[in-house]
Amino acid sequence: MACTVLGVGKNLTKDGSTITSHSNDGEYKGDPRLCFIPAGDHKSGSMRPVYFDLIDGPRYITYDRGECYKPKPWQTKLSTPICYVPEVAHTFSYYEGSYSIMNEKGVGTSESTCSGMFYTLPATMGGKACFGIAALGQMAMERASTAKEAVQIMGDFAFQYGFYGSNSFEGSAESLFVNDADEIWIFHVLPDPTGTSAIWAAQRIPDNHVAVIANMFIIREIDFNDSSNFMYSSNIKTIAQERGWWTGGAFDFTWIYSEGEYDHKYYSGRRMWRAYARFGLSYNDTYSDLRYDLVYPVSAPTASGPFGVSDIFSIHRDYYQGTQYDMSAGLAAGPWGITDRWNNEQPVNGTWERSIAVYRSDYLSVAQGKRTGQGGVFYFGPANAASTVFVPMAATCTGVPSEYMDGNTTNLTHSTAYWGSTSSFNVALMKYSYAMANIILPAQKLLETQGEDLVAQLDAQASLLESGAPCDCEPYKKHMYEVYKRLWELPDKIIQTYANGWLNDGPGAPYPTWWLEAVNYTNMDPPALPEEPYGPCYPNPCPNTSNTSLLHVGAAPSPLANVLATPRTSTALRSATEMDALRAHVFSTPLGSSLVENVEPQAASSKKTSFLGRHADTDAALFLQLETGSASNTHEL
């Protein structure tokens, strides 16, 4: 996936936890569900099925991966494994979206697809590789008690059974942040040139560092003598030597095995620049080639902080606001400051900026590894960052409320949190800047603060329990349900507040001046009125022009005749005296009578008649109202 992931070492967080995060930025027809995979005990000699990494929904249809993936009544075809590997006696429980999130031991992962120098196909689909990154993450979740152990497990399975990437425009390689209560590791993996194995490397992030991955490898020089901070596959140097990509000296993993930014220049680098800026670090925002230019570090210390999960939520909602790349500014953002740019399906060359926040996220997750209280906790946000509300869950809990376990991006249903968040976002587009500032952002702040307070409360309770005692998970599920309900209240509130361009059915949410000037509004003069006299059939000729083309003012009372006989320019308004004369005559004329000779009254059914009657500058309105029998003392002139 075209995802942005963040990592914060334990010495830079408010509570001494490690934090990693992931935005699952797909394209369309994704799978936004949060799923719980139960722990399991397995017979000796049993084999574990490995399924293809299907990112589209539904990911899996099977009986062996928990309640989430059991077939629905209309799902008659089960997922078919592409290979099998030996099972272990016991596997841990864990939560996952398209990719693994966190297991009961507090080991978390955050994924970002990258470009790589090699690609291959999965087994049963023209290739021989058994594992994609989702399946590797599952193996780590089921078997690992620490982040470093998880890295080794994934590396070993990829090397022994083969690795395939997404093979889309996003690239054929993958990256993960893997964290536990003590440390964070970067994991990079790509297929080997035979399609039967893998090349991988891992690097530990120092405890006082932050790091960012944005769809491109970040590991640079590997110290092959430092096993405390580096891990790698045994073929990492030989393949590079065989290709002539390395002849000794410093071994830069990204230089050798990355294909750089995919899609377009700055697709990755701009997000890295901005995320580091949000962490208080200043780097260049321009460069020649991110693969070869050492613009951004693998990780970096910062004097800013400490950081909490709310800071991570905020960075994932970033759209370069306040910078020269601000997505809410300019004509492309429209009058309401829309921060997203839809995919261009027209044959026009060009590109948009790729901000950290993006409309096409299926979900976001934040994994917080810690030893205190309940242990590991993760936060899950359905749909995109702009409109979602992150909700917490302890890693030792079991199950998922149906509102978060269900979700189909092609079938809107009010029973899912995903569609509540998605609906809020799409309805907000009607007056985006107003709706975000006044409705969505305040709701996010309130509900996410409640979620953090709930974690602190349950942490305090857990610290009083005996070691190993189960935590109370019902408060989390209750909070998730309350957030789900609130998400579905927001679209109606936005419509009620900003319907028909108004603010609460009145003025107060106008177009910005800069936009009116930019779209030439200020240079548009109103159309000139035709010269007088003009009759009740304006702007078209009346059927009998001999009788109706001219007004016979002599039949009208003297004050009205004097008014109609007074020449005026096409844009001048009648004076107050003239309007009083017109008004007096209209309101003294019986309904159905005519100011124009030989014209019969017509039915009062024309919308045009009603519209003209509201414009005091148009004499024709007075006559047209009278001709249709619609004059009354309630007319606004």
Side-chain angles (χ1 to χ4, degrees):
M1 288 288 187
C3 314
T4 308
V5 300
L6 311 173
V8 184
K10 65 182 181 180
N11 290 351
L12 286 176
T13 61
K14 293 179 179 179
D15 58 0
S17 63
T18 65
I19 300 177
T20 68
S21 65
H22 162 74
S23 58
N24 201 59
D25 304 336
E27 287 291 328
Y28 44 83
K29 296 184 179 179
D31 192 333
R33 295 178 293 171
L34 173 63
C35 295
F36 173 74
I37 312 302
D41 293 307
H42 312 282
K43 295 180 180 179
S44 176
S46 60
M47 301 293 285
R48 187 210 190 270
V50 178
Y51 296 96
F52 173 66
D53 279 6
L54 182 63
I55 304 304
D56 294 350
R59 293 187 288 265
Y60 312 105
I61 303 173
T62 181
Y63 289 98
D64 57 14
R65 304 205 68 239
E67 189 68 29
C68 190
Y69 298 121
K70 289 182 178 179
K72 305 297 189 293
W74 60 89
Q75 295 172 334
T76 58
K77 185 177 180 180
L78 298 180
S79 299
T80 303
I82 63 172
C83 63
Y84 291 84
V85 298
E87 186 59 280
V88 292
H90 180 77
T91 51
F92 303 133
S93 66
Y94 59 100
Y95 287 88
E96 70 176 14
S98 294
Y99 308 99
S100 54
I101 297 175
M102 181 169 270
N103 73 3
E104 63 179 276
K105 297 297 182 180
V107 179
T109 68
S110 299
E111 178 273 349
S112 184
T113 301
C114 299
S115 68
M117 293 300 293
F118 304 112
Y119 74 94
T120 192
L121 297 173
T124 74
M125 301 180 187
K128 298 179 179 180
C130 182
F131 282 95
I133 195 63
L136 285 180
Q138 293 162 13
M139 303 304 292
M141 294 292 97
E142 293 169 8
R143 305 178 182 211
S145 298
T146 68
K148 189 172 185 179
E149 187 180 3
V151 168
Q152 191 66 61
I153 288 170
M154 291 188 291
D156 288 346
F157 273 108
F159 186 82
Q160 181 175 354
Y161 294 95
F163 172 81
Y164 61 90
S166 66
N167 296 331
S168 67
F169 83 95
E170 298 165 336
S172 59
E174 287 286 352
S175 291
L176 294 174
F177 280 149
V178 187
N179 66 311
D180 58 24
D182 298 311
E183 57 187 9
I184 303 173
W185 283 81
I186 308 163
F187 176 71
H188 292 338
V189 61
L190 71 157
D192 83 330
T194 71
T196 62
S197 187
I199 306 163
W200 65 272
Q203 181 174 348
R204 186 184 184 276
I205 298 175
D207 297 337
N208 64 334
H209 280 214
V210 294
V212 183
I213 304 176
N215 300 119
M216 184 175 162
F217 290 158
I218 62 172
I219 294 177
R220 289 292 181 172
E221 185 175 345
I222 295 177
D223 185 344
F224 293 106
N225 297 314
D226 184 359
S227 59
S228 296
N229 292 295
F230 292 92
M231 303 168 68
Y232 47 87
S233 58
S234 60
N235 59 356
I236 193 170
K237 289 190 285 187
T238 56
I239 293 174
Q241 288 173 323
E242 291 169 358
R243 292 293 192 280
W245 299 339
W246 179 68
T247 58
F251 190 95
D252 187 323
F253 184 87
T254 295
W255 186 303
I256 295 169
Y257 286 118
S258 171
E259 277 200 315
E261 293 176 285
Y262 59 68
D263 200 38
H264 61 79
K265 185 179 179 180
Y266 300 122
Y267 186 84
S268 299
R270 193 82 79 212
R271 283 178 284 158
M272 297 182 71
W273 164 79
R274 180 56 173 170
Y276 275 123
R278 294 292 302 271
F279 282 129
L281 297 168
S282 179
Y283 296 104
N284 290 334
D285 59 343
T286 60
Y287 45 80
S288 176
D289 188 322
L290 195 58
R291 177 183 178 186
Y292 303 117
D293 297 349
L294 305 183
V295 186
Y296 309 112
V298 178
S299 64
T302 177
S304 297
F307 303 101
V309 293
S310 61
D311 298 304
I312 304 304
F313 302 162
S314 178
I315 295 175
H316 275 290
R317 291 177 173 134
D318 193 277
Y319 49 87
Y320 306 143
Q321 58 267 35
T323 75
Q324 64 268 44
Y325 309 112
D326 193 334
M327 301 287 282
S328 69
L331 280 178
W336 314 126
I338 294 174
T339 58
D340 283 289
R341 306 290 183 265
W342 320 131
N343 283 359
N344 175 33
E345 299 180 16
Q346 299 295 335
V348 179
N349 291 328
T351 190
W352 304 112
E353 285 283 355
R354 178 20 169 132
S355 60
I356 297 173
V358 67
Y359 68 93
R360 49 186 173 83
S361 300
D362 297 324
Y363 69 87
L364 299 93
S365 61
V366 177
Q368 190 176 23
K370 56 184 182 177
R371 294 196 177 281
T372 59
Q374 311 155 86
V377 171
F378 71 91
Y379 292 77
F380 184 84
N384 72 54
S387 60
T388 198
V389 172
F390 287 90
V391 292
M393 177 70 83
T396 54
C397 287
T398 60
V400 179
S402 62
E403 294 79 16
Y404 292 80
M405 187 174 69
D406 295 334
N408 184 330
T409 59
T410 62
N411 182 25
L412 190 155
T413 170
H414 283 69
S415 63
T416 66
Y418 168 82
W419 274 109
S421 176
T422 299
S423 297
S424 298
F425 172 73
N426 281 272
V427 171
L429 296 174
M430 65 192 294
K431 280 208 169 177
Y432 192 72
S433 56
Y434 290 102
M436 289 299 298
N438 300 321
I439 296 178
I440 291 181
L441 291 178
Q444 287 174 332
K445 183 175 181 180
L446 173 65
L447 295 170
E448 288 171 353
T449 299
Q450 291 175 354
E452 289 190 68
D453 290 345
L454 178 60
V455 172
Q457 174 189 334
L458 295 177
D459 273 345
Q461 292 178 6
S463 64
L464 302 176
L465 298 175
E466 294 182 10
S467 177
C471 296
D472 184 5
C473 296
E474 287 307 309
Y476 285 124
K477 296 177 182 179
K478 181 179 179 181
H479 175 68
M480 293 174 79
Y481 181 72
E482 292 300 319
V483 169
Y484 148 75
K485 289 197 302 180
R486 185 62 186 277
L487 285 172
W488 272 110
E489 293 173 0
L490 297 180
D492 285 352
K493 185 174 182 181
I494 294 169
I495 293 175
Q496 176 180 296
T497 305
Y498 299 108
N500 301 322
W502 299 115
L503 172 62
N504 295 317
D505 204 27
Y511 286 117
T513 301
W514 71 265
W515 186 84
L516 292 172
E517 294 172 347
V519 298
N520 208 35
Y521 175 85
T522 54
N523 294 327
M524 294 289 288
D525 292 327
L529 294 174
E531 293 184 3
E532 292 191 76
Y534 50 89
C537 303
Y538 174 81
N540 301 313
C542 290
N544 186 348
T545 57
S546 62
N547 292 330
T548 62
S549 60
L550 296 177
L551 295 174
H552 295 260
V553 298
S558 177
L560 178 61
N562 292 336
V563 170
L564 296 178
T566 303
R568 67 181 180 124
T569 65
S570 61
T571 58
L573 291 172
R574 293 293 187 186
S575 68
T577 301
E578 292 172 331
M579 290 304 297
D580 286 343
L582 289 169
R583 185 177 289 104
H585 182 73
V586 169
F587 294 147
S588 65
T589 304
L591 290 177
S593 62
S594 176
L595 287 176
V596 183
E597 294 179 351
N598 303 324
V599 177
E600 294 295 326
Q602 301 176 26
S605 60
S606 168
K607 291 183 179 179
K608 181 177 179 182
T609 297
S610 176
F611 174 78
L612 289 173
R614 291 195 292 270
H615 292 267
D617 189 43
T618 308
D619 292 342
L622 298 173
F623 305 122
L624 190 54
Q625 284 178 329
L626 220 59
E627 295 310 308
T628 59
S630 59
S632 73
N633 59 6
T634 62
H635 287 152
E636 297 178 5
L637 302 176

